[in-house]
Amino acid sequence: MDLPKQLKNAITSGSLLFGQNQTMGSCVSGEARMVILAANCPIEFIQNLKSRHPDVPLHQVEMVNRELGAACAKPFPVSSICVIDAGDSDLLTLRPNVE
């Protein structure tokens, strides 16, 4: 899967939230359908997310937060992306890979 292309597609046709605070907020409200994490996302955040919201699939990519931000056309690092609505993208087909 071409992740940068799918992210850009989801940004234009769906609904994504960027950053740890917005990700946690959408998980609490039950809107999150999947969370995409950067390779260097803080382990404490990942563990907290897993323990509080075990029903939300987590997929960690090999890109670091700076690369993930650039893939989303953001001028800042992005350590987590919350997929609310994937739109025309295939993001929800990513398999959960965080143990």
Side-chain angles (χ1 to χ4, degrees):
M1 173 186 290
D2 183 7
L3 188 63
K5 181 180 175 186
Q6 294 298 325
L7 285 169
K8 287 178 182 147
N9 195 356
I11 289 168
T12 58
S13 65
S15 177
L16 302 180
L17 298 176
F18 303 97
Q20 295 177 19
N21 291 336
Q22 289 191 338
T23 295
M24 190 60 80
S26 68
C27 287
V28 168
S29 68
E31 295 178 318
R33 297 190 58 201
M34 172 173 263
V35 175
I36 299 171
L37 302 162
N40 62 342
C41 186
I43 194 75
E44 299 85 22
F45 175 73
I46 296 171
Q47 290 171 339
N48 188 14
L49 200 58
K50 268 192 338 188
S51 64
R52 289 175 141 187
H53 308 286
D55 54 328
V56 177
L58 304 177
H59 181 84
Q60 193 162 23
V61 295
E62 293 182 10
M63 292 187 270
V64 295
N65 58 1
R66 191 172 44 244
E67 295 168 331
L68 196 54
C72 296
K74 298 295 179 191
F76 49 84
V78 173
S79 62
S80 67
I81 300 170
C82 183
V83 179
I84 304 293
D85 176 16
D88 296 331
S89 74
D90 296 330
L91 289 179
L92 293 178
T93 63
L94 292 171
R95 300 181 80 172
N97 64 356
V98 176
E99 296 299 322

